[in-house]
Amino acid sequence: MAITSIKNLKEFSTNNDRFEGAHTLCPGCAHSMIVRELMNCTDDNLVISSNTGCLEVSTAVYPFTSWDTSWIHIGFENAATSVTAAQVMHKVRKKKGNLKDNDAPVKFVAFGGDGSTYDIGFQWLSGAMERGHDFTYICLDNENYANTGGQRSSATPVGAHTSTAQAGTHSYGKKQKKKDIVSIMAAHGSPYVAQLAPNKWKSMAKGFQKALEVEGPCFINTVSPCCTEWKFDPKDTINLTDLATDSLMFPIYEIIDSHELNILYRPKNPISVEEYMAAQGRYKHLFKPQYRHIIEEVQKDVDAKWDLLQRREEARL
Amino acid sequence: MAQELNLLATDNRGQSQLEAGMNLAGWDEVTQGTVLTSFEGDATGIANKKAEERTYSDFNSYTASVASWRVQKPVFNRDICIDCQNCWVWCPDSSILSRDKQMLGIDYDHCKGCEVCVEVCPTNPKSLLMFNEHADLEESLAAWPEKKKKEKK
């Protein structure tokens, strides 16, 4: 399999972009950083499908397309379904030998936002995982329905202000905890499941290459800070991702064959969740005296999760 | 070019099918999808071709521009740059022109002025800085700040 070198950034930068500019994502959006990195870490042919979401509406504004590969969009929920259908068709035609280039390696990738992964496309994704197709599903997790005006999704963390879980005198924003999608996907028996972040470009590129190489359904959850709905300055996208990984709100880890857990990044100087929250407008209300206890609760949850991950890494289960 | 497509004025999609006597779907029936081709002709091995060697079609957003989104533009100073490629890997708009491990400059047709490249630049002083959109290149380079001394803690 042809794989491009990711030894260091200089070598990585010799790859030619297959995701073109002049899409209409917000300035400073992390979605395009993640997509570019996936498409740069391989020179195989790609067949990509997108769920409805920011990525889909901004990269396919008629009459333009930003994709230099095959790209399909059908509905909100069925990127996993459409890409697995394409994969089966490719397999059959390869067997019959009626492809244009029968030996060219082709990789199948589906992109979804957190709304279409955690909520609306969940049973389609679950079905595709169960059927065991050879594809990679990448969730661009920006913790809300950013495309339609920032409604809550089941990826929104406790205490965040969204347009349908508003903070005010009687409410501190969303009250329910975030769904642990990585564990759910690992429980499907997937050969490779990971949570990655764009600021650690090397672990992310390695994770993408591994997922593309491994045969079977792979799932990757990526952190994608949303400057519009998280309410921070567009230039701070990477700084905020640093805060997210250092505060362990988004631990970076992989699970191989649903039992072998590896932590891919251990912050040398872990910071508190408070520091991460202070950098974003959506947590502004938590710093009022009546809601300060929420920050402590979130910190307790994050510590417990990090403890669990370390124990799982040690015990290999 | 994409601008010459002028889709609203001369929208005759489906006209040829109607003339050929085909039955087109009504407004309440399932509409047809659209296929846009990214390249003119054969696109085999496109991953190994540089942008200037490719034959982009009018449908590729490479031929469009989002320069009007920008209020400030990043200006690149070749003298200070160390070619670390941080800006290349984190540019969300594929606007950093890197060839043969060297940073060449910025693609102002696709840059939206988000300032991420300036934030991730590790040199002292930064080799990318934001200037007003109308600022001249020589003017901007002349106004470049001096090297900052490290503050002892």
Side-chain angles (χ1 to χ4, degrees):
Chain A
M1 165 176 181
I3 262 192
T4 47
S5 172
I6 52 159
K7 218 168 84 192
N8 55 45
L9 256 187
K10 278 195 181 189
E11 276 181 34
F12 193 32
S13 78
T14 54
N15 293 303
N16 304 303
D17 270 313
R18 282 194 285 171
F19 184 67
E20 299 297 348
H23 48 71
T24 57
L25 288 166
C26 302
C29 181
H31 275 28
S32 41
M33 298 179 193
I34 297 163
V35 173
R36 271 191 67 215
E37 190 147 340
L38 172 98
M39 295 176 84
N40 282 333
C41 77
T42 174
D43 49 13
D44 288 346
N45 290 334
L46 290 167
V47 176
I48 294 177
S49 179
S50 291
N51 281 327
T52 304
C54 285
L55 183 74
E56 178 267 322
V57 298
S58 326
T59 55
V61 187
Y62 191 77
F64 291 121
T65 170
S66 299
W67 304 85
D68 291 354
T69 57
S70 309
W71 181 80
I72 322 163
H73 167 67
I74 298 176
F76 201 128
E77 65 290 321
N78 51 18
T81 317
S82 44
V83 87
T84 50
Q87 192 259 337
V88 171
M89 189 196 73
H90 178 262
K91 202 167 107 183
V92 171
R93 289 192 62 180
K94 195 171 179 177
K95 209 171 165 187
K96 289 182 178 172
N98 63 0
L99 283 171
K100 194 178 161 195
D101 184 357
N102 232 19
D103 303 321
V106 184
K107 301 290 166 198
F108 296 85
V109 181
F111 282 108
D114 60 286
S116 57
T117 307
Y118 286 64
D119 303 341
I120 297 174
F122 186 72
Q123 65 166 292
W124 282 261
L125 172 61
S126 182
M129 296 301 251
E130 185 270 329
R131 291 193 301 274
H133 296 281
D134 181 14
F135 79 112
T136 304
Y137 191 99
I138 294 168
C139 170
L140 306 161
D141 185 0
N142 57 13
E143 301 192 327
N144 61 53
Y145 287 88
N147 182 31
T148 48
Q151 289 84 2
R152 87 187 275 284
S153 76
S154 56
T156 311
V158 181
H161 165 92
T162 63
S163 60
T164 48
Q166 298 199 343
T169 44
H170 295 288
S171 164
Y172 55 82
K174 196 190 165 193
K175 294 180 179 63
Q176 298 82 3
K177 283 179 187 172
K178 182 174 176 161
K179 209 191 250 183
D180 185 359
I181 196 84
V182 182
S183 301
I184 297 172
M185 286 304 141
H188 280 72
S190 164
Y192 187 79
V193 173
Q195 176 157 281
L196 305 167
N199 61 332
K200 306 290 167 214
W201 68 269
K202 201 165 183 176
S203 63
M204 188 148 126
K206 270 186 190 164
F208 285 160
Q209 289 194 340
K210 218 181 258 181
L212 291 174
E213 207 169 9
V214 168
E215 202 169 316
C218 302
F219 178 86
I220 290 173
N221 191 39
T222 55
V223 191
S224 178
C226 173
C227 45
T228 311
E229 298 302 340
W230 295 17
K231 297 180 178 67
F232 63 91
D233 208 359
K235 71 178 195 309
D236 290 326
T237 308
I238 291 299
N239 298 343
L240 202 91
T241 323
D242 281 338
L243 292 180
T245 50
D246 285 354
S247 66
L248 299 169
M249 279 293 272
F250 283 98
I252 301 181
Y253 61 99
E254 60 181 15
I255 305 172
I256 300 166
D257 293 333
S258 61
H259 67 275
E260 197 180 315
L261 191 144
N262 299 317
I263 294 172
L264 300 175
Y265 171 66
R266 285 167 211 279
K268 277 186 191 126
N269 305 307
I271 59 167
S272 66
V273 166
E274 196 175 337
E275 205 172 318
Y276 167 71
M277 288 176 165
Q280 302 165 56
R282 62 172 176 161
Y283 287 120
K284 198 172 63 184
H285 53 281
L286 293 186
F287 292 86
K288 287 178 186 163
Q290 71 264 40
Y291 295 142
R292 271 208 94 95
H293 63 281
I294 304 296
I295 301 181
E296 284 157 34
E297 275 173 35
V298 174
Q299 181 71 58
K300 261 182 216 163
D301 280 354
V302 168
D303 290 345
K305 171 86 189 173
W306 181 239
D307 192 42
L308 177 75
L309 285 180
Q310 284 179 315
R311 279 163 189 260
R312 278 191 68 181
E313 187 187 31
E314 213 169 302
R316 303 314 248 179
L317 48 81
Chain B
M1 287 303 289
Q3 281 76 14
E4 289 159 25
L5 285 174
N6 203 5
L7 286 159
L8 284 175
T10 56
D11 189 357
N12 52 6
R13 281 168 287 173
Q15 195 64 39
S16 55
Q17 287 97 323
L18 273 178
E19 281 161 10
M22 278 170 73
N23 221 352
L24 290 187
W27 65 271
D28 53 348
E29 294 169 68
V30 176
T31 50
Q32 294 168 0
T34 312
V35 177
L36 301 178
T37 49
S38 304
F39 300 100
E40 303 281 1
D42 193 11
T44 313
I46 210 75
N48 297 319
K49 279 185 188 164
K50 293 191 172 68
E52 49 269 23
E53 296 164 357
R54 297 176 181 173
T55 48
Y56 290 110
S57 79
D58 291 344
F59 297 122
N60 198 311
S61 72
Y62 185 83
T63 57
S65 172
V66 284
S68 58
W69 290 38
R70 217 162 47 220
V71 181
Q72 287 194 309
K73 63 172 179 185
V75 174
F76 171 56
N77 191 334
R78 180 65 259 179
D79 299 339
I80 310 168
C81 182
I82 55 167
D83 294 315
C84 67
Q85 308 293 356
N86 274 359
C87 50
W88 175 84
V89 76
W90 283 313
C91 175
D93 295 299
S94 325
S95 299
I96 304 291
L97 301 170
S98 279
R99 297 284 182 273
D100 304 325
K101 304 183 185 179
Q102 284 228 324
M103 154 86 173
L104 298 184
I106 294 145
D107 176 358
Y108 286 117
D109 282 342
H110 300 142
C111 173
K112 290 173 187 154
C114 66
E115 217 180 321
V116 165
C117 52
V118 176
E119 274 297 305
V120 299
C121 185
T123 58
N124 180 14
K126 287 182 186 296
S127 47
L128 283 155
L129 282 176
M130 298 305 274
F131 284 90
N132 273 333
E133 181 62 30
H134 54 76
D136 197 46
L137 178 64
E138 277 95 51
E139 247 173 65
S140 318
L141 291 179
W144 216 268
E146 291 289 311
K147 187 175 178 175
K148 267 187 213 161
K149 276 181 190 165
K150 273 187 187 171
E151 284 173 34
K152 278 180 186 170
K153 279 174 190 173

